[in-house]
Amino acid sequence: MILRSHLRRWLLANLALVLLCASLVPAYARKLPPIADVHLHYTWDQVDVTSPRQAVAALKRNNVVLAVVTGTPPDLALEIARAGGDRIVPIYGPYLSGYGRRDWFTDPRTLRAARAALAPGGPRQR
């Protein structure tokens, strides 16, 4: 519980710094050519501080016209895709939890979850 509290404070402090820096970027970003970012993550710990709509707005402000996004859990990629329309291409990521990066390949749930997500009708909605 203490670790989660510290993590939340750290995330909020870093988000404040990112938002401060982002406020300086839009004028510069308008001068940039369109950008495609093909490797973005939208994860369980970001949802508490940045909604899918806010994340898409940040991409727009920075002239990102195409983003390939994976989510942890995987259905978060679908949430951000619904908010971003054609700008977002969701892809399936095998990380089922925040700790999935270290052991997804040994977790017996990974294959079942991938099959369910990629089946007609896709994963269950959050």
Side-chain angles (χ1 to χ4, degrees):
M1 203 58 142
I2 293 173
L3 180 60
R4 186 174 181 148
S5 174
H6 287 295
L7 178 60
R8 185 175 299 259
R9 280 193 216 116
W10 181 84
L11 286 170
L12 290 174
N14 281 293
L15 177 64
L17 180 61
V18 166
L19 292 175
L20 174 65
C21 292
S23 69
L24 305 174
V25 171
Y28 174 71
R30 283 191 292 273
K31 297 176 186 174
L32 292 175
I35 299 169
D37 192 330
V38 295
H39 191 92
L40 293 176
H41 296 263
Y42 188 57
T43 62
W44 61 275
D45 55 346
Q46 295 166 324
V47 174
D48 289 342
V49 292
T50 306
S51 71
R53 200 171 282 177
Q54 291 170 316
V56 170
L59 293 173
K60 288 179 182 179
R61 280 193 311 274
N62 290 285
N63 210 16
V64 176
V65 297
L66 177 67
V68 177
V69 180
T70 182
T72 303
D75 59 330
L76 287 179
L78 297 175
E79 287 187 25
I80 199 167
R82 282 191 290 274
D86 291 342
R87 179 180 307 267
I88 306 294
V89 177
I91 60 172
Y92 183 79
Y95 310 138
L96 302 178
S97 72
Y99 303 103
R101 290 185 182 157
R102 74 169 182 236
D103 66 357
W104 66 270
F105 51 90
T106 63
D107 188 337
R109 299 173 303 154
T110 302
L111 186 57
R112 288 191 302 271
R115 285 183 176 146
L118 299 173
R124 70 182 193 286
Q125 301 301 308
R126 287 172 55 94

